[in-house]
Amino acid sequence: MKGYRVQIIFTVLILSILFINVSHVVAKNEPVFRLVYTIQEGDNLTFIAKKYNIKVSVIKKANDLTDKTVLYPGKEIRIPFGDQSFFEEVNLPEATLFSSTGLEFKLMDWGEYSVRIAKEKIKVNIPTSARIVYHIQRGDNLYDLAQEFSTTVSVIKALNNLDNSAIRIGQEIILPTKGLTAKQILSRTISDYELNLLARVIHGESRGEPYLGKVAVGAVILNRVISSRFSNTIEKVILQKSQFEAVSNGQINLKPSSSAYKAAREALNGSDPTLGALYFINPKYAPNAWWFNRKQKTVTIGGHVFAK
């Protein structure tokens, strides 16, 4: 008798679950569509929402967007619609309908589908001053470069008239630098040779100095590269005649320590304990540096005094 009651209870539970599932299916008896839209130059969420007669908040929720999200050209976002009526309300030239669940397409009730507008060629309006010429290095690919330069693969392709993502070592391509600081651009374009040279001069100039002093020496060199008063490459700044003692006395040829490499990378990442200095001396070894005394002192770190 007890076993019979258990069986009845189990049967009721199974029927309840089936009823809930069937009710859910019946209730959701229309396909759900998503419009996949490719961001163009100058787009914003307000413009897109108005274009497709939908609320900005709905677009944000469908794409996990926040007020701080940057809409880069080439980025794809989904615009949800509840039923098929959007086909009549929205002009979808050359739209491609595809299933999100497989390659074979068959329109089914309670299914979820996407409609992608045929991609136009991305239009970019990036001034020459916000572009650089980059030489492809071993291990580079367009996806990683897009991430590093805060852009999209589509924009890089458009800037370089590329039909595909294939690139080769040594190839020159144009990359956008909009939104990046001068030091961020340096950090993304520095060669292994330049990084090694930077670490060598840091090692030669600041052996015995605290780690912060090593970062400071690296920052001075990078500040010079950015400044209009000096050459615009790391190599030329370092090798400029009579500028760095480590170059004059040959200590630049010593093998850099691991802390010198670490300090070089930290300076490249934007750390500047010198507060923008372009010069430094050690008063112990240059007590009569009259030219330095005319500069604006910024900070003293270890044995070095820094100035603009």
Side-chain angles (χ1 to χ4, degrees), residues 2 27 56 58 105-106 119 135 144 158 161 167 177 180 186 204 217 247 283 298:
K2 184 177 180 180
V56 170
V58 174
F105 174 75
K106 183 179 180 182
K119 286 187 178 181
H135 292 79
D144 288 342
N161 295 317
I167 52 177
T177 59
L180 298 179
L186 274 177
V217 169
V247 176
T298 59

Short mmCIF file of all heavy atoms in Angstrom, two decimals, residues 2 27 56 58 105-106 119 135 144 158 161 167 177 180 186 204 217 247 283 298:
data_model
loop_
_atom_site.label_atom_id
_atom_site.label_comp_id
_atom_site.label_asym_id
_atom_site.label_seq_id
_atom_site.Cartn_x
_atom_site.Cartn_y
_atom_site.Cartn_z
N LYS A 2 1.91 1.21 0.83
CA LYS A 2 2.83 2.34 0.90
C LYS A 2 3.52 2.56 -0.44
O LYS A 2 3.69 3.68 -0.91
CB LYS A 2 3.87 2.09 1.99
CG LYS A 2 4.80 3.25 2.21
CD LYS A 2 5.74 2.95 3.36
CE LYS A 2 6.68 4.12 3.59
NZ LYS A 2 7.63 3.85 4.71
N ALA A 27 3.02 28.78 -24.68
CA ALA A 27 3.03 30.22 -24.45
C ALA A 27 4.02 30.92 -25.36
O ALA A 27 3.78 32.02 -25.83
CB ALA A 27 3.38 30.51 -22.99
N VAL A 56 16.81 52.41 -26.12
CA VAL A 56 18.24 52.26 -25.85
C VAL A 56 18.47 51.23 -24.76
O VAL A 56 19.39 50.41 -24.83
CB VAL A 56 18.87 53.61 -25.45
CG1 VAL A 56 20.30 53.41 -24.95
CG2 VAL A 56 18.86 54.58 -26.62
N VAL A 58 16.85 48.62 -24.05
CA VAL A 58 16.67 47.25 -24.57
C VAL A 58 17.95 46.79 -25.28
O VAL A 58 18.39 45.65 -25.12
CB VAL A 58 15.46 47.18 -25.52
CG1 VAL A 58 15.36 45.80 -26.17
CG2 VAL A 58 14.18 47.50 -24.76
N PHE A 105 18.88 25.68 -41.88
CA PHE A 105 17.89 26.64 -41.40
C PHE A 105 16.48 26.15 -41.70
O PHE A 105 16.15 25.79 -42.82
CB PHE A 105 18.09 28.01 -42.04
CG PHE A 105 17.00 28.97 -41.67
CD1 PHE A 105 16.99 29.53 -40.40
CD2 PHE A 105 15.99 29.27 -42.55
CE1 PHE A 105 15.98 30.39 -40.03
CE2 PHE A 105 14.98 30.13 -42.18
CZ PHE A 105 14.97 30.69 -40.92
N LYS A 106 15.65 26.12 -40.66
CA LYS A 106 14.24 25.82 -40.81
C LYS A 106 13.50 26.64 -39.76
O LYS A 106 13.73 26.47 -38.56
CB LYS A 106 13.97 24.33 -40.60
CG LYS A 106 12.50 23.97 -40.82
CD LYS A 106 12.28 22.47 -40.63
CE LYS A 106 10.79 22.14 -40.86
NZ LYS A 106 10.54 20.69 -40.63
N LYS A 119 26.93 43.22 -44.55
CA LYS A 119 27.91 44.21 -44.11
C LYS A 119 28.34 45.15 -45.24
O LYS A 119 28.71 44.70 -46.31
CB LYS A 119 29.16 43.52 -43.55
CG LYS A 119 28.96 42.90 -42.19
CD LYS A 119 30.30 42.40 -41.67
CE LYS A 119 30.16 41.81 -40.28
NZ LYS A 119 31.45 41.34 -39.75
N HIS A 135 55.05 47.95 -38.26
CA HIS A 135 55.68 46.83 -38.94
C HIS A 135 55.28 45.53 -38.24
O HIS A 135 55.52 45.38 -37.04
CB HIS A 135 57.21 46.97 -38.96
CG HIS A 135 57.68 48.11 -39.81
ND1 HIS A 135 57.66 49.43 -39.38
CD2 HIS A 135 58.17 48.13 -41.08
CE1 HIS A 135 58.12 50.20 -40.35
NE2 HIS A 135 58.44 49.45 -41.39
N ASP A 144 44.68 40.57 -32.15
CA ASP A 144 45.45 41.09 -31.02
C ASP A 144 45.80 42.57 -31.22
O ASP A 144 45.78 43.36 -30.28
CB ASP A 144 46.73 40.28 -30.82
CG ASP A 144 46.45 38.89 -30.24
OD1 ASP A 144 45.34 38.70 -29.69
OD2 ASP A 144 47.31 38.01 -30.34
N ALA A 158 39.84 48.09 -43.24
CA ALA A 158 39.42 49.23 -44.05
C ALA A 158 40.56 50.22 -44.25
O ALA A 158 40.73 50.76 -45.35
CB ALA A 158 38.23 49.92 -43.39
N ASN A 161 42.89 48.50 -46.78
CA ASN A 161 42.27 47.87 -47.96
C ASN A 161 42.56 46.38 -48.02
O ASN A 161 42.93 45.83 -49.08
CB ASN A 161 42.76 48.55 -49.25
CG ASN A 161 42.31 49.99 -49.35
OD1 ASN A 161 41.17 50.32 -49.05
ND2 ASN A 161 43.23 50.87 -49.75
N ILE A 167 48.37 38.41 -42.68
CA ILE A 167 49.46 39.38 -42.61
C ILE A 167 50.78 38.62 -42.52
O ILE A 167 50.80 37.45 -42.15
CB ILE A 167 49.33 40.33 -41.39
CG1 ILE A 167 49.15 39.53 -40.10
CG2 ILE A 167 48.19 41.30 -41.59
CD1 ILE A 167 49.07 40.39 -38.85
N THR A 177 45.44 55.42 -33.77
CA THR A 177 45.96 55.68 -32.42
C THR A 177 45.01 56.57 -31.62
O THR A 177 45.38 57.06 -30.57
CB THR A 177 47.34 56.35 -32.50
OG1 THR A 177 47.21 57.59 -33.23
CG2 THR A 177 48.34 55.46 -33.19
N LEU A 180 44.74 56.88 -27.65
CA LEU A 180 45.95 56.38 -27.00
C LEU A 180 46.90 57.54 -26.70
O LEU A 180 47.03 58.47 -27.49
CB LEU A 180 46.67 55.37 -27.89
CG LEU A 180 45.90 54.08 -28.25
CD1 LEU A 180 46.77 53.21 -29.15
CD2 LEU A 180 45.50 53.33 -27.01
N LEU A 186 54.05 54.21 -27.87
CA LEU A 186 55.43 53.72 -27.78
C LEU A 186 55.47 52.29 -27.26
O LEU A 186 56.18 51.44 -27.78
CB LEU A 186 56.25 54.62 -26.85
CG LEU A 186 56.91 55.86 -27.45
CD1 LEU A 186 57.61 56.65 -26.36
CD2 LEU A 186 57.91 55.47 -28.55
N GLY A 204 72.94 51.13 -17.05
CA GLY A 204 74.20 51.87 -16.99
C GLY A 204 74.11 53.15 -16.18
O GLY A 204 75.06 53.54 -15.50
N VAL A 217 64.71 57.01 -14.71
CA VAL A 217 65.63 57.17 -15.84
C VAL A 217 64.93 56.78 -17.14
O VAL A 217 65.03 57.47 -18.16
CB VAL A 217 66.91 56.34 -15.64
CG1 VAL A 217 67.74 56.31 -16.92
CG2 VAL A 217 67.74 56.92 -14.49
N VAL A 247 76.41 55.98 -22.17
CA VAL A 247 76.79 55.84 -23.58
C VAL A 247 78.24 56.27 -23.78
O VAL A 247 79.01 55.60 -24.47
CB VAL A 247 75.85 56.69 -24.48
CG1 VAL A 247 76.31 56.61 -25.94
CG2 VAL A 247 74.41 56.20 -24.35
N PRO A 283 74.40 65.09 -8.50
CA PRO A 283 75.22 66.21 -8.03
C PRO A 283 76.57 65.77 -7.47
O PRO A 283 77.53 66.55 -7.49
CB PRO A 283 74.36 66.84 -6.93
CG PRO A 283 72.96 66.42 -7.26
CD PRO A 283 73.09 65.05 -7.85
N THR A 298 62.16 69.00 -10.44
CA THR A 298 60.87 68.33 -10.21
C THR A 298 60.91 67.42 -9.00
O THR A 298 60.00 67.43 -8.17
CB THR A 298 60.46 67.51 -11.45
OG1 THR A 298 61.46 66.53 -11.74
CG2 THR A 298 60.22 68.40 -12.65
#
